[in-house]
């Protein structure tokens, strides 16, 4: 019996022991392309869900502090890597519903990414700062990238993967953006951009992996790097979007990873304004400003680019708005529940899953009819992540 | 023991019976996100491969005539639907490496598609013509769309899925394009466009599902429909691309499904010319013409859009060229083997798999170094299809 057969055999017997509690046990032989993970932040656990059955398959506890947690997936879609606020990096097997490995890799982390080839998982840290890179199979530490600044380490944000087994990230305290090339994993080659702007707080990479764009907290505007032409340096875009306006208190930092690229425009949450900014992706100039219901948090495009969905910071977080990307107007305003924290589209866009934390509920909407077609109970749900992310650049 | 556990349990025992012949047995518990199918056309069988292990996991015979075969995947990535030239529609379980179901649904078919929600599989037919739609779970016939023309049925080509559970296809004999809305699966609502041009021979839909573009065999140019605005009708683009040039004998019809959209341009194989046409996706006008090694068959973009890869018809089918999408020049010319029939990128683009039919070999190239990093034996391989297609519109 070869090793894989043995592992499978043991997995089955373990699965049988769990019966009839199979609801929280092994998933058995099944595809992983329609699976997803939902963060239950208060309980420190995750749900494994199926977008086909629209059902919870398992609940996995023991993941530590999951406030602001995020998830990436192995290239086969079987394993989730969960980044916790407590610095925990947990590898979860979605098929057996078990924690495979868990390391407390720092005191306070903010997110992570998986390399293009799937071999490396990188974590960006607040306390201490820097980026740590782990073997995705064993979680062995492969590289420790010291984001040095002023004799200490800078907080690191906006960490994304880029083509060529690179990671790109921003140094909040240092005002820098670094590209780390992990072609030789234990010897990262760093390309540093300094003076990109004050306090980059988050970033995204366009779906083709070409443009890296960091939002600035310490000043207006965004820092843009064309990764096809790093020699051109950093370009400031939307430098005057808040000029002449009083910035409102920022209740929640907008997320940029969810930026929407649709119909030749990027739809961007304005910091401290009730606005979504529309940027032309040809010349990266402002095309329009769309007044919206509150301070946008996530601004996410349907996979077909026809509409962009927006949720909002407290106290406006009971509403989701749908923007028509042709007319740049609000096509619809939905009330999916209390404290809408996150949205995730099925990969081909027929449905969107929306978490309502204070209703302890997941909502599934049909994107065509805008009708709610299912709800699932969940314990203070926040982030929702589907395995199709494994096949995308920058997610 | 619930049904799924029972199925799993039996699957294991079946798998053990096959040992040590496990190479053609069950895959066991594993993710499906890194799996793929390779058509072995002469033998009427398929290989199941893993892009992580770069290895063949199983070989599944009994699929009939696989010349010009194509494949789509269930939304969970577990099942492949193989469309054979003999009208066979075969559902294969990639995890157990078994044929689950097979129907001979026509005398001669040319391709298929799976609906956005994954519930319906459609097949386009040559003999008799028309489109048949099947339940993806049971392969039960759900709808039979008669592509009526001149008292008979038209051959149907260029069948793709579109957002909104629609299928779009072209009627070769009738010179028409139809949109079938299967929101109510047993009662397709048809929207027909007539006089789109003579003999549409294949088509593609852009990755966002917005533009459907059919190539014309009976005259120069392409027919374009904006699916966001079907009321605007059909527009002819590239109408004069072959004008004033003698059309060479066409050894192999170019494939359009592989059209590359990259860097704001569509890269299009010219029919009967040694050229790749570059079309601006803003206004759909010709931007450039790139002279290439032979008559292009597949013109496919790397997932990051940085390069476009091209293979050629006989007698130039031992070469693959790589086009730089910025400079619109040939960046590299490779000789992967004899009779290069197809290419498939890993979903995030680090590798490309290339089939060399007359070398009985699959080649895996690193897209960054352009070096061959692996070869696998295969019996007259043609099409290569990875499960990540399940998560894409129009593939």
């Amino acid at each position: 019996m070869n090793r894989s057969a043995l592992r499978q055999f043991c997995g089955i017997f373990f699965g049988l022991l769990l019966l009839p509690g199979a609801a929280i046990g092994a998933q058995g032989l099944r595809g992983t392309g329609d699976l997803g993970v939902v963060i239950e932040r208060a309980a420190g656990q995750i749900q494994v869900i199926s977008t086909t059955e629209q059902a919870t398959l398992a609940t996995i506890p023991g993941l530590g502090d999951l406030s602001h947690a995020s998830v990436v997936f192995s290239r086969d879609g079987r394993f989730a890597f969960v980044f916790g606020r407590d610095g925990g990096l947990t590898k979860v097997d979605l098929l057996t519903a078990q924690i495979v490995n868990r390391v407390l890799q720092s005191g306070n982390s903010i997110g992570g990414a998986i390399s293009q080839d799937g071999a490396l998982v990188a974590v960006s840290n607040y306390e201490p700062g820097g980026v740590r890179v782990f073997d995705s199979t064993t979680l062995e530490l492969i590289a420790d990238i010291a984001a040095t600044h002023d004799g200490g380490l800078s907080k690191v944000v906006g960490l994304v993967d880029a083509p060529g087994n690179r990671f790109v990230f921003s140094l909040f305290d240092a005002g820098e953006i670094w590209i780390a090339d992990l072609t030789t994993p234990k010897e990262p080659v760093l390309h540093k951009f300094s003076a990109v702007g004050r306090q980059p707080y988050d970033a995204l990479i366009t779906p083709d992996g070409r443009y890296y764009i960091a939002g600035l907290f310490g000043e207006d505007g965004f820092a843009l790097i064309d990764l096809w032409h790093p020699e051109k340096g950093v370009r400031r875009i939307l430098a005057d979007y808040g000029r002449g306006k009083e910035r409102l208190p920022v209740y929640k930092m907008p997320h940029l990873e969810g930026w929407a690229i649709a119909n030749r425009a990027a739809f961007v949450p304005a910091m401290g304004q009730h606005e979504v900014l529309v940027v032309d992706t040809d010349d990266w100039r402002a095309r329009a400003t769309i007044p919206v219901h509150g301070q946008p948090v996530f601004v996410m495009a349907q996979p077909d680019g026809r509409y962009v969905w927006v949720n909002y910071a407290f106290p406006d977080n009971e509403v989701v708005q749908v923007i028509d990307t042709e007319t740049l107007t609000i096509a619809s305003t939905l009330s999916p529940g209390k404290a809408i924290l996150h949205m995730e589209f099925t990969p081909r866009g027929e449905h969107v899953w929306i978490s309502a934390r204070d209703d302890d509920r997941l909502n599934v909407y049909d994107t065509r009819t805008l009708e709610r077609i299912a709800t699932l109970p969940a314990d203070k749900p926040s982030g929702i992540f589907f395995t199709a992310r494994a096949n995308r650049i920058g997610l």
Side-chain angles (χ1 to χ4, degrees), chain A residues 80-119:
Chain A
F81 300 92
V82 183
F83 307 100
R85 193 57 187 256
D86 55 4
L89 165 59
T90 312
K91 181 175 178 176
V92 177
D93 184 338
L94 304 182
L95 290 176
T96 62
Q98 289 181 297
I99 291 175
V100 175
N101 203 343
R102 175 170 162 82
V103 294
L104 271 172
Q105 58 83 44
S106 83
N108 187 338
S109 76
I110 185 71
I114 187 163
S115 61
Q116 184 184 29
D117 66 1

Side-chain angles (χ1 to χ4, degrees), chain A residues 260 262 300-309 322-325 331 345 367:
Chain A
M300 307 183 81
Q302 272 184 210
D304 65 0
R306 186 67 190 86
Y307 297 98
V308 158
W309 294 57
V322 184
I323 295 174
D324 183 319
T325 60
F345 293 94
T367 55

Side-chain angles (χ1 to χ4, degrees), chain A residues 231-293:
Chain A
E231 75 282 0
K232 290 187 181 170
V234 176
R235 174 175 165 186
R236 182 71 57 88
I237 63 171
L238 293 173
D240 55 359
Y241 83 80
R243 195 146 299 168
K245 292 183 185 168
E246 190 183 355
R247 187 182 272 194
L248 305 176
V250 176
Y251 290 105
K252 174 149 181 48
M253 300 284 267
H255 278 263
L256 297 186
E257 189 180 301
W259 271 24
I261 310 285
N263 206 17
R264 300 179 184 290
F267 293 77
V268 186
M271 163 85 70
Q273 306 288 348
H274 290 199
E275 290 173 354
V276 169
L277 312 174
V278 186
V279 194
D280 195 305
T281 53
D282 268 330
D283 56 12
W284 297 104
R285 292 181 192 282
R287 188 193 285 181
T289 299
I290 304 172
V292 292
H293 176 75

Side-chain angles (χ1 to χ4, degrees), chain A residues 23-334:
Chain A
I24 56 161
Q27 305 316 319
L29 210 60
R30 63 167 296 151
T32 51
D34 58 347
L35 298 182
V37 165
V38 176
I39 304 292
E40 297 187 322
R41 53 189 289 159
Q45 62 189 25
I46 62 171
Q47 282 192 16
V48 179
I49 60 88
S50 158
T51 63
T52 301
E53 290 129 291
Q54 294 171 354
T56 302
L57 303 179
T59 300
I60 304 165
L63 282 87
D65 181 356
L66 293 187
S67 55
H68 208 282
S70 64
V71 177
V72 299
F73 296 95
S74 61
R75 71 197 303 288
D76 63 359
R78 176 172 180 175
F79 299 100
F81 300 92
V82 183
F83 307 100
R85 193 57 187 256
D86 55 4
L89 165 59
T90 312
K91 181 175 178 176
V92 177
D93 184 338
L94 304 182
L95 290 176
T96 62
Q98 289 181 297
I99 291 175
V100 175
N101 203 343
R102 175 170 162 82
V103 294
L104 271 172
Q105 58 83 44
S106 83
N108 187 338
S109 76
I110 185 71
I114 187 163
S115 61
Q116 184 184 29
D117 66 1
L120 303 170
V121 172
V123 191
S124 59
N125 289 316
Y126 263 25
E127 189 50 50
V131 170
R132 287 189 161 159
V133 181
F134 298 86
D135 181 298
S136 67
T137 304
T138 62
L139 297 194
E140 174 202 355
L141 182 67
I142 297 291
D144 196 345
I145 302 174
T148 46
H149 169 64
D150 263 355
L153 292 176
S154 174
K155 292 186 181 70
V156 173
V157 299
L159 171 67
V160 300
D161 61 280
N165 250 35
R166 292 177 295 175
F167 293 111
V168 190
F169 48 91
S170 298
L171 282 61
F172 178 85
D173 306 296
E176 297 185 359
I177 295 173
W178 292 12
I179 303 172
D181 184 329
L182 280 285
T183 302
T184 306
K186 297 203 172 190
E187 296 165 16
V189 176
L190 301 174
H191 187 156
K192 303 176 182 179
F193 300 83
S194 58
V196 306
R198 289 182 52 218
Q199 297 174 319
Y201 65 90
D202 197 8
L204 84 323
I205 191 164
T206 51
D208 59 4
R210 176 167 183 180
Y211 296 102
Y212 180 84
I213 305 164
L216 302 174
F217 185 70
E219 54 191 303
D220 284 343
F222 298 80
L224 177 145
I225 295 176
D226 180 351
L227 296 174
W228 290 11
H229 295 289
E231 75 282 0
K232 290 187 181 170
V234 176
R235 174 175 165 186
R236 182 71 57 88
I237 63 171
L238 293 173
D240 55 359
Y241 83 80
R243 195 146 299 168
K245 292 183 185 168
E246 190 183 355
R247 187 182 272 194
L248 305 176
V250 176
Y251 290 105
K252 174 149 181 48
M253 300 284 267
H255 278 263
L256 297 186
E257 189 180 301
W259 271 24
I261 310 285
N263 206 17
R264 300 179 184 290
F267 293 77
V268 186
M271 163 85 70
Q273 306 288 348
H274 290 199
E275 290 173 354
V276 169
L277 312 174
V278 186
V279 194
D280 195 305
T281 53
D282 268 330
D283 56 12
W284 297 104
R285 292 181 192 282
R287 188 193 285 181
T289 299
I290 304 172
V292 292
H293 176 75
Q295 290 187 13
V297 176
F298 283 101
V299 177
M300 307 183 81
Q302 272 184 210
D304 65 0
R306 186 67 190 86
Y307 297 98
V308 158
W309 294 57
V310 189
N311 73 336
Y312 300 100
F314 178 87
D316 298 311
N317 59 0
E318 302 191 1
V319 158
V320 167
Q321 287 186 307
V322 184
I323 295 174
D324 183 319
T325 60
E326 278 199 316
T327 62
L328 305 183
T329 56
I330 305 290
S332 193
T333 297
L334 308 173

Side-chain angles (χ1 to χ4, degrees), chain A residues 344-360:
Chain A
E344 178 89 336
F345 293 94
T346 52
R348 289 159 79 195
E350 71 276 21
H351 299 149
V352 60
W353 287 51
I354 299 176
S355 57
R357 183 193 61 198
D358 295 350
D359 281 334
D360 292 311

